[in-house]
Amino acid sequence: MSMRSDSIRQQFSERIISSRHGRTARRLSRSLAAACLGISCLGLSVATAWAEPRKVILDDDGFALAQWMVIKAPDVQVLGVTTVTGDAWAKEATAMALRGVEIAGRPDLPVYTGASFPLVNTEAQTERWETLYGKLVWKGVWMKHWVEPTLQKLPPYHGRCGA
């Protein structure tokens, strides 16, 4: 009798375990299905969001590889290019941007010239800063001469004397 009862207990416990595993497996498969559905819906919403190109206005003090890459990017719509005085004067930066837009095959992009003089520092403020704290290695448009020895030629200086 005891052998029979042991065998019944064993069969009963195996059924409970298998049914528990079955329920767990079903729950797990439902959870995975819900997660997959959620991820696919999220993927659809992200794909929909990225289907429209980003609208960008390029604002810089020149035109180089980075701007060219943005203009050529398939998921970006460049609305225009603006230039300001920075490392080069605004008119020079505008000329660079116009040529860059032309080379990129997008002469339809509008290019606008911004501020001619830096909005934050004047040439006099830059010189005062150098008097107090030491020579700046690079001063952008206020560069009259190289601070460190270099083989590079002097950039054109367009500042006003005595300003």
Side-chain angles (χ1 to χ4, degrees), residues 64-99:
L65 184 61
Q67 290 82 356
W68 190 83
M69 289 173 66
V70 172
I71 287 174
K72 289 297 200 175
D75 57 341
V76 176
Q77 179 186 359
V78 178
L79 302 175
V81 180
T82 64
T83 61
V84 294
T85 295
D87 289 343
W89 289 94
K91 288 183 181 180
E92 291 174 289
T94 303
M96 285 187 270
L98 286 167
R99 182 68 178 133

PDB file of all heavy atoms in Angstrom, residues 64-99:
ATOM      1  N   ALA A  64      32.300  74.340 -43.563  1.00  0.00           N
ATOM      2  CA  ALA A  64      33.295  73.274 -43.637  1.00  0.00           C
ATOM      3  C   ALA A  64      32.591  71.930 -43.815  1.00  0.00           C
ATOM      4  O   ALA A  64      31.415  71.867 -44.171  1.00  0.00           O
ATOM      5  CB  ALA A  64      34.161  73.282 -42.386  1.00  0.00           C
ATOM      6  N   LEU A  65      33.308  70.878 -43.524  1.00  0.00           N
ATOM      7  CA  LEU A  65      32.818  69.519 -43.739  1.00  0.00           C
ATOM      8  C   LEU A  65      31.547  69.222 -42.938  1.00  0.00           C
ATOM      9  O   LEU A  65      30.628  68.584 -43.450  1.00  0.00           O
ATOM     10  CB  LEU A  65      33.915  68.514 -43.376  1.00  0.00           C
ATOM     11  CG  LEU A  65      33.597  67.047 -43.624  1.00  0.00           C
ATOM     12  CD1 LEU A  65      33.325  66.801 -45.097  1.00  0.00           C
ATOM     13  CD2 LEU A  65      34.743  66.172 -43.154  1.00  0.00           C
ATOM     14  N   ALA A  66      31.482  69.693 -41.711  1.00  0.00           N
ATOM     15  CA  ALA A  66      30.307  69.405 -40.874  1.00  0.00           C
ATOM     16  C   ALA A  66      29.034  69.970 -41.504  1.00  0.00           C
ATOM     17  O   ALA A  66      28.000  69.290 -41.561  1.00  0.00           O
ATOM     18  CB  ALA A  66      30.503  69.966 -39.477  1.00  0.00           C
ATOM     19  N   GLN A  67      29.103  71.193 -41.976  1.00  0.00           N
ATOM     20  CA  GLN A  67      27.930  71.805 -42.602  1.00  0.00           C
ATOM     21  C   GLN A  67      27.570  71.082 -43.896  1.00  0.00           C
ATOM     22  O   GLN A  67      26.396  70.872 -44.190  1.00  0.00           O
ATOM     23  CB  GLN A  67      28.196  73.295 -42.886  1.00  0.00           C
ATOM     24  CG  GLN A  67      28.278  74.138 -41.652  1.00  0.00           C
ATOM     25  CD  GLN A  67      29.634  74.105 -40.979  1.00  0.00           C
ATOM     26  OE1 GLN A  67      30.542  73.392 -41.374  1.00  0.00           O
ATOM     27  NE2 GLN A  67      29.774  74.886 -39.930  1.00  0.00           N
ATOM     28  N   TRP A  68      28.572  70.704 -44.663  1.00  0.00           N
ATOM     29  CA  TRP A  68      28.337  69.970 -45.906  1.00  0.00           C
ATOM     30  C   TRP A  68      27.647  68.644 -45.625  1.00  0.00           C
ATOM     31  O   TRP A  68      26.717  68.254 -46.334  1.00  0.00           O
ATOM     32  CB  TRP A  68      29.678  69.753 -46.621  1.00  0.00           C
ATOM     33  CG  TRP A  68      29.539  69.228 -48.007  1.00  0.00           C
ATOM     34  CD1 TRP A  68      29.286  69.935 -49.132  1.00  0.00           C
ATOM     35  CD2 TRP A  68      29.638  67.861 -48.412  1.00  0.00           C
ATOM     36  NE1 TRP A  68      29.232  69.097 -50.222  1.00  0.00           N
ATOM     37  CE2 TRP A  68      29.444  67.820 -49.809  1.00  0.00           C
ATOM     38  CE3 TRP A  68      29.870  66.665 -47.736  1.00  0.00           C
ATOM     39  CZ2 TRP A  68      29.471  66.636 -50.526  1.00  0.00           C
ATOM     40  CZ3 TRP A  68      29.904  65.490 -48.456  1.00  0.00           C
ATOM     41  CH2 TRP A  68      29.708  65.484 -49.842  1.00  0.00           C
ATOM     42  N   MET A  69      28.079  67.944 -44.559  1.00  0.00           N
ATOM     43  CA  MET A  69      27.476  66.654 -44.213  1.00  0.00           C
ATOM     44  C   MET A  69      26.011  66.824 -43.790  1.00  0.00           C
ATOM     45  O   MET A  69      25.171  65.998 -44.128  1.00  0.00           O
ATOM     46  CB  MET A  69      28.275  65.975 -43.103  1.00  0.00           C
ATOM     47  CG  MET A  69      29.630  65.475 -43.585  1.00  0.00           C
ATOM     48  SD  MET A  69      30.669  64.853 -42.262  1.00  0.00           S
ATOM     49  CE  MET A  69      29.746  63.418 -41.751  1.00  0.00           C
ATOM     50  N   VAL A  70      25.712  67.891 -43.065  1.00  0.00           N
ATOM     51  CA  VAL A  70      24.321  68.136 -42.659  1.00  0.00           C
ATOM     52  C   VAL A  70      23.461  68.420 -43.886  1.00  0.00           C
ATOM     53  O   VAL A  70      22.348  67.912 -44.009  1.00  0.00           O
ATOM     54  CB  VAL A  70      24.240  69.298 -41.642  1.00  0.00           C
ATOM     55  CG1 VAL A  70      22.802  69.687 -41.374  1.00  0.00           C
ATOM     56  CG2 VAL A  70      24.931  68.919 -40.344  1.00  0.00           C
ATOM     57  N   ILE A  71      23.968  69.208 -44.812  1.00  0.00           N
ATOM     58  CA  ILE A  71      23.211  69.523 -46.028  1.00  0.00           C
ATOM     59  C   ILE A  71      22.945  68.255 -46.838  1.00  0.00           C
ATOM     60  O   ILE A  71      21.872  68.085 -47.405  1.00  0.00           O
ATOM     61  CB  ILE A  71      23.960  70.574 -46.875  1.00  0.00           C
ATOM     62  CG1 ILE A  71      23.861  71.928 -46.182  1.00  0.00           C
ATOM     63  CG2 ILE A  71      23.411  70.655 -48.286  1.00  0.00           C
ATOM     64  CD1 ILE A  71      24.672  73.019 -46.842  1.00  0.00           C
ATOM     65  N   LYS A  72      23.901  67.352 -46.876  1.00  0.00           N
ATOM     66  CA  LYS A  72      23.773  66.125 -47.654  1.00  0.00           C
ATOM     67  C   LYS A  72      23.008  65.015 -46.927  1.00  0.00           C
ATOM     68  O   LYS A  72      22.661  64.010 -47.543  1.00  0.00           O
ATOM     69  CB  LYS A  72      25.163  65.593 -48.040  1.00  0.00           C
ATOM     70  CG  LYS A  72      25.862  66.445 -49.075  1.00  0.00           C
ATOM     71  CD  LYS A  72      25.073  66.433 -50.353  1.00  0.00           C
ATOM     72  CE  LYS A  72      25.884  66.824 -51.549  1.00  0.00           C
ATOM     73  NZ  LYS A  72      25.147  66.701 -52.777  1.00  0.00           N
ATOM     74  N   ALA A  73      22.739  65.162 -45.636  1.00  0.00           N
ATOM     75  CA  ALA A  73      22.069  64.108 -44.863  1.00  0.00           C
ATOM     76  C   ALA A  73      20.642  63.911 -45.374  1.00  0.00           C
ATOM     77  O   ALA A  73      19.902  64.882 -45.557  1.00  0.00           O
ATOM     78  CB  ALA A  73      22.053  64.460 -43.380  1.00  0.00           C
ATOM     79  N   PRO A  74      20.222  62.665 -45.582  1.00  0.00           N
ATOM     80  CA  PRO A  74      18.888  62.418 -46.127  1.00  0.00           C
ATOM     81  C   PRO A  74      17.760  62.689 -45.134  1.00  0.00           C
ATOM     82  O   PRO A  74      16.639  62.952 -45.541  1.00  0.00           O
ATOM     83  CB  PRO A  74      18.928  60.938 -46.509  1.00  0.00           C
ATOM     84  CG  PRO A  74      19.985  60.352 -45.641  1.00  0.00           C
ATOM     85  CD  PRO A  74      20.989  61.435 -45.417  1.00  0.00           C
ATOM     86  N   ASP A  75      18.058  62.640 -43.832  1.00  0.00           N
ATOM     87  CA  ASP A  75      17.011  62.820 -42.829  1.00  0.00           C
ATOM     88  C   ASP A  75      16.992  64.228 -42.243  1.00  0.00           C
ATOM     89  O   ASP A  75      16.418  64.464 -41.192  1.00  0.00           O
ATOM     90  CB  ASP A  75      17.170  61.791 -41.709  1.00  0.00           C
ATOM     91  CG  ASP A  75      18.530  61.858 -41.043  1.00  0.00           C
ATOM     92  OD1 ASP A  75      19.453  62.427 -41.645  1.00  0.00           O
ATOM     93  OD2 ASP A  75      18.664  61.344 -39.921  1.00  0.00           O
ATOM     94  N   VAL A  76      17.626  65.187 -42.929  1.00  0.00           N
ATOM     95  CA  VAL A  76      17.685  66.571 -42.460  1.00  0.00           C
ATOM     96  C   VAL A  76      17.230  67.505 -43.567  1.00  0.00           C
ATOM     97  O   VAL A  76      17.619  67.353 -44.719  1.00  0.00           O
ATOM     98  CB  VAL A  76      19.132  66.940 -42.035  1.00  0.00           C
ATOM     99  CG1 VAL A  76      19.217  68.404 -41.630  1.00  0.00           C
ATOM    100  CG2 VAL A  76      19.605  66.054 -40.899  1.00  0.00           C
ATOM    101  N   GLN A  77      16.390  68.457 -43.211  1.00  0.00           N
ATOM    102  CA  GLN A  77      15.969  69.493 -44.148  1.00  0.00           C
ATOM    103  C   GLN A  77      16.581  70.811 -43.684  1.00  0.00           C
ATOM    104  O   GLN A  77      16.168  71.370 -42.668  1.00  0.00           O
ATOM    105  CB  GLN A  77      14.442  69.608 -44.196  1.00  0.00           C
ATOM    106  CG  GLN A  77      13.963  70.685 -45.133  1.00  0.00           C
ATOM    107  CD  GLN A  77      12.460  70.893 -45.053  1.00  0.00           C
ATOM    108  OE1 GLN A  77      11.757  70.213 -44.314  1.00  0.00           O
ATOM    109  NE2 GLN A  77      11.967  71.843 -45.807  1.00  0.00           N
ATOM    110  N   VAL A  78      17.579  71.292 -44.396  1.00  0.00           N
ATOM    111  CA  VAL A  78      18.233  72.551 -44.045  1.00  0.00           C
ATOM    112  C   VAL A  78      17.387  73.693 -44.594  1.00  0.00           C
ATOM    113  O   VAL A  78      17.111  73.758 -45.790  1.00  0.00           O
ATOM    114  CB  VAL A  78      19.672  72.603 -44.596  1.00  0.00           C
ATOM    115  CG1 VAL A  78      20.319  73.938 -44.260  1.00  0.00           C
ATOM    116  CG2 VAL A  78      20.501  71.466 -44.017  1.00  0.00           C
ATOM    117  N   LEU A  79      16.961  74.591 -43.705  1.00  0.00           N
ATOM    118  CA  LEU A  79      16.113  75.710 -44.102  1.00  0.00           C
ATOM    119  C   LEU A  79      16.919  76.914 -44.570  1.00  0.00           C
ATOM    120  O   LEU A  79      16.412  77.743 -45.315  1.00  0.00           O
ATOM    121  CB  LEU A  79      15.215  76.120 -42.931  1.00  0.00           C
ATOM    122  CG  LEU A  79      14.306  75.016 -42.383  1.00  0.00           C
ATOM    123  CD1 LEU A  79      13.564  75.498 -41.153  1.00  0.00           C
ATOM    124  CD2 LEU A  79      13.341  74.546 -43.450  1.00  0.00           C
ATOM    125  N   GLY A  80      18.169  76.997 -44.109  1.00  0.00           N
ATOM    126  CA  GLY A  80      19.013  78.113 -44.508  1.00  0.00           C
ATOM    127  C   GLY A  80      20.311  78.096 -43.735  1.00  0.00           C
ATOM    128  O   GLY A  80      20.523  77.274 -42.842  1.00  0.00           O
ATOM    129  N   VAL A  81      21.184  79.023 -44.100  1.00  0.00           N
ATOM    130  CA  VAL A  81      22.494  79.147 -43.461  1.00  0.00           C
ATOM    131  C   VAL A  81      22.654  80.599 -43.038  1.00  0.00           C
ATOM    132  O   VAL A  81      22.371  81.510 -43.821  1.00  0.00           O
ATOM    133  CB  VAL A  81      23.627  78.757 -44.437  1.00  0.00           C
ATOM    134  CG1 VAL A  81      24.986  78.889 -43.775  1.00  0.00           C
ATOM    135  CG2 VAL A  81      23.425  77.339 -44.964  1.00  0.00           C
ATOM    136  N   THR A  82      23.079  80.818 -41.791  1.00  0.00           N
ATOM    137  CA  THR A  82      23.386  82.161 -41.320  1.00  0.00           C
ATOM    138  C   THR A  82      24.845  82.206 -40.924  1.00  0.00           C
ATOM    139  O   THR A  82      25.407  81.206 -40.480  1.00  0.00           O
ATOM    140  CB  THR A  82      22.505  82.566 -40.118  1.00  0.00           C
ATOM    141  OG1 THR A  82      22.793  81.697 -39.019  1.00  0.00           O
ATOM    142  CG2 THR A  82      21.041  82.506 -40.463  1.00  0.00           C
ATOM    143  N   THR A  83      25.472  83.347 -41.115  1.00  0.00           N
ATOM    144  CA  THR A  83      26.884  83.485 -40.786  1.00  0.00           C
ATOM    145  C   THR A  83      27.081  84.662 -39.841  1.00  0.00           C
ATOM    146  O   THR A  83      26.309  85.633 -39.875  1.00  0.00           O
ATOM    147  CB  THR A  83      27.729  83.707 -42.044  1.00  0.00           C
ATOM    148  OG1 THR A  83      27.298  84.901 -42.678  1.00  0.00           O
ATOM    149  CG2 THR A  83      27.605  82.540 -42.997  1.00  0.00           C
ATOM    150  N   VAL A  84      28.090  84.576 -39.015  1.00  0.00           N
ATOM    151  CA  VAL A  84      28.452  85.642 -38.086  1.00  0.00           C
ATOM    152  C   VAL A  84      29.965  85.783 -38.071  1.00  0.00           C
ATOM    153  O   VAL A  84      30.681  84.929 -38.567  1.00  0.00           O
ATOM    154  CB  VAL A  84      27.956  85.343 -36.653  1.00  0.00           C
ATOM    155  CG1 VAL A  84      26.448  85.343 -36.577  1.00  0.00           C
ATOM    156  CG2 VAL A  84      28.510  84.014 -36.165  1.00  0.00           C
ATOM    157  N   THR A  85      30.435  86.853 -37.491  1.00  0.00           N
ATOM    158  CA  THR A  85      31.864  87.035 -37.308  1.00  0.00           C
ATOM    159  C   THR A  85      32.324  86.151 -36.163  1.00  0.00           C
ATOM    160  O   THR A  85      31.705  86.124 -35.104  1.00  0.00           O
ATOM    161  CB  THR A  85      32.184  88.510 -37.001  1.00  0.00           C
ATOM    162  OG1 THR A  85      31.848  89.275 -38.155  1.00  0.00           O
ATOM    163  CG2 THR A  85      33.639  88.706 -36.673  1.00  0.00           C
ATOM    164  N   GLY A  86      33.376  85.412 -36.405  1.00  0.00           N
ATOM    165  CA  GLY A  86      33.952  84.534 -35.383  1.00  0.00           C
ATOM    166  C   GLY A  86      35.429  84.398 -35.662  1.00  0.00           C
ATOM    167  O   GLY A  86      36.216  85.284 -35.360  1.00  0.00           O
ATOM    168  N   ASP A  87      35.812  83.306 -36.288  1.00  0.00           N
ATOM    169  CA  ASP A  87      37.198  83.137 -36.716  1.00  0.00           C
ATOM    170  C   ASP A  87      37.466  83.925 -37.996  1.00  0.00           C
ATOM    171  O   ASP A  87      38.604  84.205 -38.335  1.00  0.00           O
ATOM    172  CB  ASP A  87      37.521  81.655 -36.948  1.00  0.00           C
ATOM    173  CG  ASP A  87      37.578  80.895 -35.638  1.00  0.00           C
ATOM    174  OD1 ASP A  87      37.699  81.542 -34.581  1.00  0.00           O
ATOM    175  OD2 ASP A  87      37.506  79.669 -35.675  1.00  0.00           O
ATOM    176  N   ALA A  88      36.424  84.235 -38.705  1.00  0.00           N
ATOM    177  CA  ALA A  88      36.521  85.048 -39.922  1.00  0.00           C
ATOM    178  C   ALA A  88      35.452  86.128 -39.824  1.00  0.00           C
ATOM    179  O   ALA A  88      34.486  85.997 -39.076  1.00  0.00           O
ATOM    180  CB  ALA A  88      36.278  84.188 -41.160  1.00  0.00           C
ATOM    181  N   TRP A  89      35.615  87.177 -40.594  1.00  0.00           N
ATOM    182  CA  TRP A  89      34.621  88.239 -40.604  1.00  0.00           C
ATOM    183  C   TRP A  89      33.357  87.754 -41.292  1.00  0.00           C
ATOM    184  O   TRP A  89      33.397  86.861 -42.128  1.00  0.00           O
ATOM    185  CB  TRP A  89      35.187  89.489 -41.274  1.00  0.00           C
ATOM    186  CG  TRP A  89      36.223  90.127 -40.396  1.00  0.00           C
ATOM    187  CD1 TRP A  89      37.557  89.931 -40.449  1.00  0.00           C
ATOM    188  CD2 TRP A  89      35.971  90.992 -39.308  1.00  0.00           C
ATOM    189  NE1 TRP A  89      38.171  90.641 -39.452  1.00  0.00           N
ATOM    190  CE2 TRP A  89      37.223  91.305 -38.723  1.00  0.00           C
ATOM    191  CE3 TRP A  89      34.826  91.551 -38.732  1.00  0.00           C
ATOM    192  CZ2 TRP A  89      37.349  92.139 -37.630  1.00  0.00           C
ATOM    193  CZ3 TRP A  89      34.968  92.396 -37.642  1.00  0.00           C
ATOM    194  CH2 TRP A  89      36.207  92.679 -37.097  1.00  0.00           C
ATOM    195  N   ALA A  90      32.250  88.357 -40.942  1.00  0.00           N
ATOM    196  CA  ALA A  90      30.938  87.893 -41.417  1.00  0.00           C
ATOM    197  C   ALA A  90      30.855  87.824 -42.940  1.00  0.00           C
ATOM    198  O   ALA A  90      30.309  86.868 -43.492  1.00  0.00           O
ATOM    199  CB  ALA A  90      29.829  88.780 -40.862  1.00  0.00           C
ATOM    200  N   LYS A  91      31.396  88.816 -43.626  1.00  0.00           N
ATOM    201  CA  LYS A  91      31.320  88.808 -45.094  1.00  0.00           C
ATOM    202  C   LYS A  91      32.145  87.659 -45.672  1.00  0.00           C
ATOM    203  O   LYS A  91      31.746  87.028 -46.647  1.00  0.00           O
ATOM    204  CB  LYS A  91      31.768  90.147 -45.671  1.00  0.00           C
ATOM    205  CG  LYS A  91      30.754  91.250 -45.416  1.00  0.00           C
ATOM    206  CD  LYS A  91      31.167  92.554 -46.053  1.00  0.00           C
ATOM    207  CE  LYS A  91      30.141  93.632 -45.754  1.00  0.00           C
ATOM    208  NZ  LYS A  91      30.503  94.908 -46.345  1.00  0.00           N
ATOM    209  N   GLU A  92      33.301  87.396 -45.081  1.00  0.00           N
ATOM    210  CA  GLU A  92      34.112  86.260 -45.533  1.00  0.00           C
ATOM    211  C   GLU A  92      33.392  84.948 -45.248  1.00  0.00           C
ATOM    212  O   GLU A  92      33.391  84.034 -46.080  1.00  0.00           O
ATOM    213  CB  GLU A  92      35.465  86.264 -44.829  1.00  0.00           C
ATOM    214  CG  GLU A  92      36.373  87.393 -45.243  1.00  0.00           C
ATOM    215  CD  GLU A  92      37.636  87.413 -44.410  1.00  0.00           C
ATOM    216  OE1 GLU A  92      37.540  87.758 -43.222  1.00  0.00           O
ATOM    217  OE2 GLU A  92      38.696  87.053 -44.957  1.00  0.00           O
ATOM    218  N   ALA A  93      32.787  84.851 -44.060  1.00  0.00           N
ATOM    219  CA  ALA A  93      32.046  83.648 -43.703  1.00  0.00           C
ATOM    220  C   ALA A  93      30.868  83.438 -44.644  1.00  0.00           C
ATOM    221  O   ALA A  93      30.569  82.306 -45.047  1.00  0.00           O
ATOM    222  CB  ALA A  93      31.567  83.738 -42.256  1.00  0.00           C
ATOM    223  N   THR A  94      30.217  84.519 -45.027  1.00  0.00           N
ATOM    224  CA  THR A  94      29.096  84.426 -45.970  1.00  0.00           C
ATOM    225  C   THR A  94      29.581  83.946 -47.336  1.00  0.00           C
ATOM    226  O   THR A  94      28.943  83.095 -47.968  1.00  0.00           O
ATOM    227  CB  THR A  94      28.381  85.780 -46.103  1.00  0.00           C
ATOM    228  OG1 THR A  94      27.946  86.194 -44.812  1.00  0.00           O
ATOM    229  CG2 THR A  94      27.197  85.698 -47.035  1.00  0.00           C
ATOM    230  N   ALA A  95      30.712  84.473 -47.773  1.00  0.00           N
ATOM    231  CA  ALA A  95      31.275  84.029 -49.058  1.00  0.00           C
ATOM    232  C   ALA A  95      31.619  82.540 -49.007  1.00  0.00           C
ATOM    233  O   ALA A  95      31.351  81.796 -49.956  1.00  0.00           O
ATOM    234  CB  ALA A  95      32.515  84.853 -49.403  1.00  0.00           C
ATOM    235  N   MET A  96      32.195  82.090 -47.868  1.00  0.00           N
ATOM    236  CA  MET A  96      32.506  80.658 -47.711  1.00  0.00           C
ATOM    237  C   MET A  96      31.240  79.817 -47.731  1.00  0.00           C
ATOM    238  O   MET A  96      31.192  78.754 -48.349  1.00  0.00           O
ATOM    239  CB  MET A  96      33.265  80.413 -46.405  1.00  0.00           C
ATOM    240  CG  MET A  96      34.707  80.838 -46.427  1.00  0.00           C
ATOM    241  SD  MET A  96      35.549  80.328 -44.923  1.00  0.00           S
ATOM    242  CE  MET A  96      35.270  81.742 -43.886  1.00  0.00           C
ATOM    243  N   ALA A  97      30.198  80.297 -47.044  1.00  0.00           N
ATOM    244  CA  ALA A  97      28.942  79.550 -46.992  1.00  0.00           C
ATOM    245  C   ALA A  97      28.289  79.476 -48.367  1.00  0.00           C
ATOM    246  O   ALA A  97      27.780  78.419 -48.769  1.00  0.00           O
ATOM    247  CB  ALA A  97      27.994  80.187 -45.982  1.00  0.00           C
ATOM    248  N   LEU A  98      28.294  80.581 -49.099  1.00  0.00           N
ATOM    249  CA  LEU A  98      27.722  80.579 -50.453  1.00  0.00           C
ATOM    250  C   LEU A  98      28.457  79.593 -51.354  1.00  0.00           C
ATOM    251  O   LEU A  98      27.842  78.843 -52.115  1.00  0.00           O
ATOM    252  CB  LEU A  98      27.754  81.987 -51.051  1.00  0.00           C
ATOM    253  CG  LEU A  98      26.719  82.960 -50.485  1.00  0.00           C
ATOM    254  CD1 LEU A  98      27.058  84.384 -50.900  1.00  0.00           C
ATOM    255  CD2 LEU A  98      25.322  82.569 -50.925  1.00  0.00           C
ATOM    256  N   ARG A  99      29.767  79.594 -51.267  1.00  0.00           N
ATOM    257  CA  ARG A  99      30.554  78.661 -52.086  1.00  0.00           C
ATOM    258  C   ARG A  99      30.320  77.222 -51.638  1.00  0.00           C
ATOM    259  O   ARG A  99      30.188  76.325 -52.471  1.00  0.00           O
ATOM    260  CB  ARG A  99      32.045  79.027 -51.991  1.00  0.00           C
ATOM    261  CG  ARG A  99      32.928  78.147 -52.835  1.00  0.00           C
ATOM    262  CD  ARG A  99      32.675  78.377 -54.310  1.00  0.00           C
ATOM    263  NE  ARG A  99      33.584  77.548 -55.084  1.00  0.00           N
ATOM    264  CZ  ARG A  99      33.221  76.809 -56.104  1.00  0.00           C
ATOM    265  NH1 ARG A  99      31.981  76.834 -56.526  1.00  0.00           N
ATOM    266  NH2 ARG A  99      34.085  76.072 -56.744  1.00  0.00           N
TER     267      ARG A  99
END
